[in-house]
Amino acid sequence: MAASKIKKGDSVVVRSGKDKGRTGTVLQVLPKDGKVVVSGVNVAARHRKPSQANPQGGIDRREAPMAISKVGLADPKTGKATRVRFETQDGKKVRVAVKSGEKIDG
């Protein structure tokens, strides 16, 4: 399996959709579904009936998964969305931002 270009903890920029332009941190990557969960982005509201566990009921707001193609890694230099390429440096495979050439990890 190929290495993922976006990983948990990365700072990403939303490229399309209702949250276009917003930034956040990746909380979870779902590779089988091709989706990511980003903090503060794509927040879904769910109305809950009162129950024994939650006697008040109310509205639960939480981040919903979104397509990984809608987000781009934030460039370490500029903070704008960039593509990612892999390079071998000192015998290690590292991720590099295409726009700036800046090393992302490693």
Side-chain angles (χ1 to χ4, degrees):
M1 192 167 121
S4 177
K5 293 187 178 190
I6 295 178
K7 297 182 178 183
K8 182 178 174 178
D10 284 345
S11 181
V12 293
V13 179
V14 179
R15 290 182 164 178
S16 66
K18 65 177 183 177
D19 293 314
K20 182 177 179 177
R22 295 182 67 187
T23 59
T25 307
V26 176
L27 301 174
Q28 188 179 10
V29 180
L30 308 165
K32 283 185 180 177
D33 301 327
K35 297 187 179 228
V36 289
V37 178
V38 182
S39 64
V41 177
N42 198 26
V43 177
R46 178 138 192 172
H47 294 72
R48 299 285 186 186
K49 275 185 168 179
S51 63
Q52 280 191 327
N54 184 10
Q56 187 67 33
I59 302 171
D60 286 348
R61 297 182 191 280
R62 55 183 272 194
E63 295 90 358
M66 63 189 305
I68 202 164
S69 60
K70 288 187 169 215
V71 298
L73 199 75
D75 195 308
K77 264 189 179 172
T78 62
K80 294 182 179 177
T82 182
R83 297 188 316 275
V84 179
R85 82 169 154 252
F86 290 97
E87 290 182 1
T88 306
Q89 295 178 356
D90 303 324
K92 280 191 170 182
K93 189 175 177 181
V94 294
R95 294 183 299 161
V96 176
V98 172
K99 280 190 179 176
S100 67
E102 199 79 10
K103 192 160 76 168
I104 294 164
D105 56 7

